[in-house]
Amino acid sequence: MDITIHHAYLPHTDPEAALAFYRDTLGFEVRNDVEYQGLHWLTVGPPGQPDTSIVLTPPAADPGITEDERKVIAEMMAKGTYASINLATKDLDETFERVQAGPVGEVVQEPTEQPWGVRDAAFRDPSGNMVRIFESK
């Protein structure tokens, strides 16, 4: 069986701030930029990996979501508990410095050796999503 990850979805609250973080700070390519009925979707991905993308979506864009559910989603995003993604880099210290210097929402954890054998750092992006970056060896 040959299965790969093609798209992962993260909500965003501000397309310009999302682009500043994912494109300008992390260096991802913009693969698609779609506006429809006042909503804005962005697809970004790492250079050299055309089959792996993150779709940055308007939160609660599903028409089946109630207003109460939209409120809960907005509250969870504000606390950074709604969505997350794990990324990897060969040089965590360099990546941490670059991300910290850019338009990041909040540094959650500086580069740390974890007791389970990985070294990682964590940020909240401008929309509150948890972005954890692991050092790959």
Side-chain angles (χ1 to χ4, degrees):
M1 190 177 305
D2 182 16
I3 297 175
T4 62
I5 296 172
H6 186 65
H7 287 100
Y9 290 81
L10 289 176
H12 75 81
T13 54
D14 178 342
E16 294 306 315
L19 280 175
F21 181 73
Y22 288 96
R23 180 193 60 203
D24 302 339
T25 300
L26 293 183
F28 285 2
E29 301 171 332
V30 176
R31 306 223 171 112
N32 207 356
D33 186 334
V34 176
E35 292 186 52
Y36 179 72
Q37 295 185 349
L39 301 175
H40 201 148
W41 286 260
L42 297 159
T43 303
V44 298
Q49 297 179 47
D51 295 331
T52 303
S53 298
I54 299 169
V55 180
L56 302 166
T57 66
D62 185 332
I65 293 177
T66 67
E67 284 308 311
D68 286 342
E69 291 168 330
R70 287 182 208 290
K71 182 179 176 191
V72 169
I73 289 169
E75 290 170 354
M76 291 178 71
M77 285 179 68
K79 293 191 306 187
T81 59
Y82 184 68
S84 65
I85 192 162
N86 292 343
L87 305 174
T89 182
K90 292 190 183 302
D91 188 339
L92 183 60
D93 293 318
E94 177 185 330
T95 301
F96 179 82
E97 288 176 21
R98 181 175 175 176
V99 172
Q100 190 175 26
V104 66
E106 175 187 353
V107 174
V108 175
Q109 174 200 303
E110 294 190 7
T112 302
E113 285 288 337
Q114 301 293 353
W116 52 89
V118 300
R119 186 165 183 262
D120 66 355
F123 302 89
R124 287 177 51 193
D125 75 7
S127 296
N129 301 305
M130 181 67 69
V131 179
R132 188 167 287 280
I133 304 176
F134 293 81
E135 187 167 64
S136 60
K137 300 182 184 205

